Amino acid sequence: MDALVDALAAAKAVFVLTGAGISAESGLPTFRGAGGYWESHRAEELASPAGFERDPALVWRWYNMRIRAYAGAKPNAGHVALAQLESLVPAFTLATQNVDSLHAAAGSKNVLELHGHLREARCTKCGATVSLSSGLPEDRIEHGCGGRFRPQVVWFGEALPADVWQRAAGAAGRADVVLVVGTSANVYPAAGLAMQNERAFLAEINPDQTGLSSRCDAFVREDAAAALPLIVQRLAERQLRR
Ligand code: BV8
């Protein structure tokens, strides 16, 4: 943790990549936590164009369950600490794989939602959008134009939003410190963001090993909500002493 605080104290640009693990302490299941299954369906099956084509009602039941869970969830100390870190370093970019909007709720500003969000749905044919504040009832899936409403998320086999990707890849490439929090780093191209900048100090916060661990300059084997506030507090104290 000290090596990470040293690197953050010297950094001009910091890039953070987060995954489901940072929202675990807000009571939200991770993808691989419960074995990634929901009602005996693999997340990859449900979060895919083919899965939606096969059974749109089933896919919406899954997203409506998650939308309800997100509505009841609050940002935790890990989310809040990252929002504070943003104000302590000259340049800061937070790229998340999460679609739960908890980083923004914690006050983070420069957030890139790599895999979209669940705040609204769009029609697959005419592009009309509807708010998802309380999910989408089954009888509203079909749109009058003949299209179907789908969540504004990136499904497996789909490209990430080009502008979001370019900004994330650019920020990761310029970073002095790349901090990876709560992701198993299995899903691409998001996981690749943490590996593309050989120059950067690479650190991981995760109670478990991941595919990234062997490449890290430092890793903190703790829960995000426990480790991040400590790291930010030490950085702030360090800056005060300057
Ligand atoms: C694409 C939105 C091409 C929807 C999601 C290269 C190699 C291999 C495969 C591929 C490759 N390139 C592409 C692929 C295919 C695929 C892929 O990566 N497959 C994987 C499964 C092998 N990628 C794609 O399909 C991507 N698209 O490639 O398009 C293309 C290009 C041009 C034109 C057309 C097409 C799109 C991928 C995005 C899919 N959408 N989400 C939704 O949410 O419903 S992915 C979804 O799953 C999440 O967003 C996230 O990315 C992923 C889950 O991973 P994590 O967040 O890391 O969660 P996980 O449960 O796995 O791990 C949690 C971690 O937290 C654990 O390590 C745990 O220890 C830790 N933890 C637990 N508690 C805590 C904690 N850490 C800290 N504190 C705690 N308290």
Side-chain angles (χ1 to χ4, degrees):
M1 192 180 277
D2 288 346
L4 174 54
V5 174
D6 292 347
L8 287 169
K12 291 193 182 31
V14 173
F15 178 81
V16 179
L17 175 67
T18 65
I22 195 163
S23 296
E25 293 153 283
S26 295
L28 298 179
T30 62
F31 278 70
R32 280 165 185 65
Y37 284 84
W38 182 75
E39 282 189 0
S40 70
H41 296 277
R42 287 195 59 70
E44 281 87 349
E45 278 165 40
L46 295 165
S48 67
F52 188 62
E53 198 51 42
R54 204 174 24 250
D55 191 340
L58 172 71
V59 170
W60 268 112
R61 277 214 313 279
W62 187 50
Y63 281 106
N64 282 335
M65 179 272 290
R66 292 171 63 187
I67 290 165
R68 280 194 298 276
Y70 295 168
K74 296 262 173 299
N76 61 58
H79 296 107
V80 172
L82 286 178
Q84 290 163 342
L85 180 59
E86 184 168 7
S87 62
L88 293 175
V89 296
F92 180 93
T93 301
L94 196 167
T96 187
Q97 300 167 79
N98 302 341
V99 295
D100 59 29
S101 303
L102 287 178
H103 284 300
S108 285
K109 300 283 177 287
N110 191 11
V111 180
L112 299 174
E113 296 176 310
L114 298 170
H115 296 162
H117 57 82
L118 279 177
R119 295 185 294 276
E120 63 180 24
R122 79 170 182 276
C123 172
T124 53
K125 193 160 179 206
C126 71
T129 59
V130 290
S131 155
L132 283 177
S133 48
S134 54
L136 189 82
E138 208 161 313
D139 61 4
R140 300 256 328 271
I141 296 173
E142 308 299 327
H143 188 220
C145 74
R148 279 198 185 113
F149 281 110
R150 59 155 293 166
Q152 291 266 43
V153 295
V154 178
W155 279 334
F156 287 95
E158 294 184 326
L160 279 57
D163 59 328
V164 170
W165 177 251
Q166 265 134 33
R167 288 176 56 197
R174 289 188 300 274
D176 304 304
V177 174
V178 171
L179 178 56
V180 182
V181 184
T183 183
S184 57
N186 285 318
V187 172
Y188 287 79
L193 287 168
M195 305 169 192
Q196 66 174 55
N197 177 348
E198 300 291 332
R199 182 183 59 75
F201 182 93
L202 178 59
E204 177 180 66
I205 298 177
N206 193 317
D208 297 343
Q209 288 263 344
T210 74
L212 213 55
S213 304
S214 59
R215 295 161 173 262
C216 288
D217 302 295
F219 48 72
V220 180
R221 290 272 160 266
E222 284 181 33
D223 291 340
L228 282 167
L230 263 181
I231 290 163
V232 171
Q233 184 197 337
R234 290 195 185 158
L235 177 63
E237 286 159 1
R238 178 84 61 87
Q239 291 181 342
L240 281 178
R241 281 205 301 274
R242 260 197 209 143

